[in-house]
C-alpha cells in the first residue's frame, strides 16, 4: 500500500478485472482485462471486505493501472514541464492584482517575471515534511510568500516579461551548509554545524531522501557562495 503495509488480495472465479488509464477516475474509461494482463509493478485497487487485521481482502473487483502506461505518462509530463516550465524565487506578492514576481536565472543574469494567479490554476504546495512532488497539497494565492521556491507550467509572453501558468507548485525550503560532526546510520541522523549561524543542526535522512557526493572543489565553491 502507499503507507508501506503488505496486503494479500485473494482472487477467485468471480473476481472481475479492469484497467484504468493513468490519471483517469471516470469508471466508463476502464476496459475489461484478464488476470493474465496484470503485471508486477502495476498500481491496483481491490474492492472487497477487508479482513479485521487489514492484511487480506477477497477481491470482488480488481482495477489496475499499467506500470508502463504510468511511466509513459510521467515521461510526457516531465517533458512538458521542461519545455513549458518556469522556476525561480518569489520576490514579491501583490494581493491587490493577485500577481507575483518570480526571479529566474537566465544567460543574461537574474530576470524578474510577472506571474498572474487566477482561480483556474492548479496550485499545490510542498508538504512541510516532504520534498516529494507527489506529496504536495492543494494550495492558494494566500499561501504564497516572498522567498518561496516557485515552479510553474504554462506559457511565456512574447517578450518574456510575463508567464501565464496552468499549474504551480511552491515551497519554502532552507539551504544550509557546514561540516558534519557525527553520523548515526541506525537512526538516519546527521549532525552538523550550520556554517552561517554556527548553531548545531540535525539532518534527518529518510528512505526517499536523495544523497549525492560532489567534488571537493564544487563544495568549496558552494560554501563561498559561488
Amino acid at each position: 500500500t502507499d503507507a508501506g503495509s503488505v496486503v494479500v488480495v485473494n482472487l477467485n472465479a468471480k473476481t472481475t478485472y479492469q484497467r484504468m488509464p493513468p490519471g483517469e477516475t471516470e469508471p466508463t474509461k476502464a476496459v475489461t482485462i484478464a488476470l493474465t494482463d496484470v503485471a508486477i509493478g502495476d498500481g491496483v485497487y481491490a474492492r472487497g471486505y477487508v479482513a479485521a487485521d487489514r492484511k487480506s481482502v477477497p477481491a470482488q473487483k480488481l482495477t489496475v493501472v499499467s506500470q508502463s502506461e504510468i511511466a509513459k505518462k510521467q515521461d510526457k509530463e516531465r517533458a512538458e514541464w521542461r519545455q513549458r516550465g518556469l522556476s525561480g524565487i518569489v520576490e514579491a506578492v501583490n494581493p491587490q492584482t493577485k500577481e507575483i514576481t518570480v526571479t529566474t536565472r537566465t544567460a543574461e543574469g537574474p530576470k524578474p517575471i510577472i506571474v498572474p494567479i487566477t482561480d483556474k490554476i492548479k496550485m499545490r504546495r510542498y508538504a512541510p515534511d516532504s520534498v516529494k512532488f507527489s506529496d504536495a497539497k492543494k494550495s492558494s494565492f494566500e499561501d504564497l510568500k516572498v522567498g518561496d521556491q516557485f515552479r510553474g507550467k504554462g506559457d511565456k509572453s512574447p517578450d518574456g516579461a510575463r508567464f501565464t501558468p496552468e499549474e504551480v507548485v511552491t515551497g519554502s525550503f532552507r539551504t544550509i551548509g557546514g561540516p558534519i560532526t557525527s553520523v548515526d546510520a541506525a537512526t538516519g541522523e546527521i549532525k552538523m554545524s550550520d556554517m552561517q549561524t554556527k548553531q548545531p543542526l540535525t539532518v534527518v535522512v529518510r528512505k526517499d531522501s536523495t544523497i549525492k557526493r560532489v567534488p571537493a572543489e564544487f563544495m568549496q565553491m558552494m560554501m563561498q557562495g559561488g
Side-chain angles (χ1 to χ4, degrees):
T1 69
D2 291 339
S5 61
V6 177
V7 179
V8 176
V9 179
N10 298 307
L11 310 173
N12 55 61
K14 294 183 178 180
T15 304
T16 59
Y17 307 90
Q18 61 181 17
R19 176 181 289 122
M20 186 75 76
E24 291 288 349
T25 56
E26 178 58 46
T28 57
K29 298 293 181 67
V31 296
T32 300
I33 60 172
L35 175 58
T36 52
D37 296 315
V38 181
I40 291 175
D42 287 350
V44 300
Y45 170 75
R47 189 176 72 181
Y49 294 100
V50 182
D53 59 6
R54 306 197 67 79
K55 292 184 178 180
S56 65
V57 53
Q60 301 168 352
K61 177 188 288 186
L62 193 74
T63 302
V64 306
V65 180
S66 168
Q67 177 61 34
S68 61
E69 292 299 321
I70 292 174
K72 288 179 183 177
K73 183 175 184 291
Q74 290 175 338
D75 288 343
K76 182 179 178 181
E77 289 176 345
R78 279 192 289 265
E80 191 171 7
W81 276 88
R82 285 194 298 269
Q83 294 166 3
R84 303 178 58 223
L86 174 74
S87 60
I89 302 296
V90 177
E91 296 292 343
V93 178
N94 189 329
Q96 284 72 39
T97 61
K98 295 201 75 171
E99 293 178 336
I100 62 175
T101 302
V102 174
T103 298
T104 184
R105 293 183 179 181
T106 68
E108 295 77 28
K111 179 179 180 179
I113 297 176
I114 302 298
V115 181
I117 304 297
T118 69
D119 295 336
K120 295 181 179 180
I121 297 172
K122 182 178 181 181
M123 294 189 65
R124 285 175 288 180
R125 191 169 182 84
Y126 285 106
D129 58 349
S130 174
V131 295
K132 292 176 65 177
F133 189 79
S134 58
D135 290 337
K137 307 297 183 183
K138 186 177 179 181
S139 182
S140 66
F141 178 86
E142 288 69 28
D143 297 320
L144 296 171
K145 298 178 178 62
V146 172
D148 281 350
Q149 280 85 358
F150 172 95
R151 192 178 177 206
K153 181 180 71 173
D155 299 302
K156 286 184 179 179
S157 61
D159 61 1
R162 295 178 67 85
F163 178 80
T164 304
E166 298 169 359
E167 294 186 48
V168 163
V169 59
T170 60
S172 181
F173 301 108
R174 292 179 62 191
T175 301
I176 58 175
I180 293 175
T181 56
S182 67
V183 177
D184 190 332
T187 61
E189 293 184 346
I190 299 173
K191 294 189 181 299
M192 62 175 289
S193 176
D194 188 332
M195 184 179 61
Q196 293 183 334
T197 66
K198 309 302 181 183
Q199 296 297 313
L201 286 174
T202 299
V203 178
V204 180
V205 180
R206 299 179 175 177
K207 64 179 181 179
D208 56 352
S209 298
T210 300
I211 304 176
K212 295 182 180 180
R213 182 179 295 278
V214 297
E217 312 82 60
F218 180 74
M219 181 59 69
Q220 185 176 7
M221 182 178 68
M222 289 179 63
M223 293 294 189
Q224 294 173 348

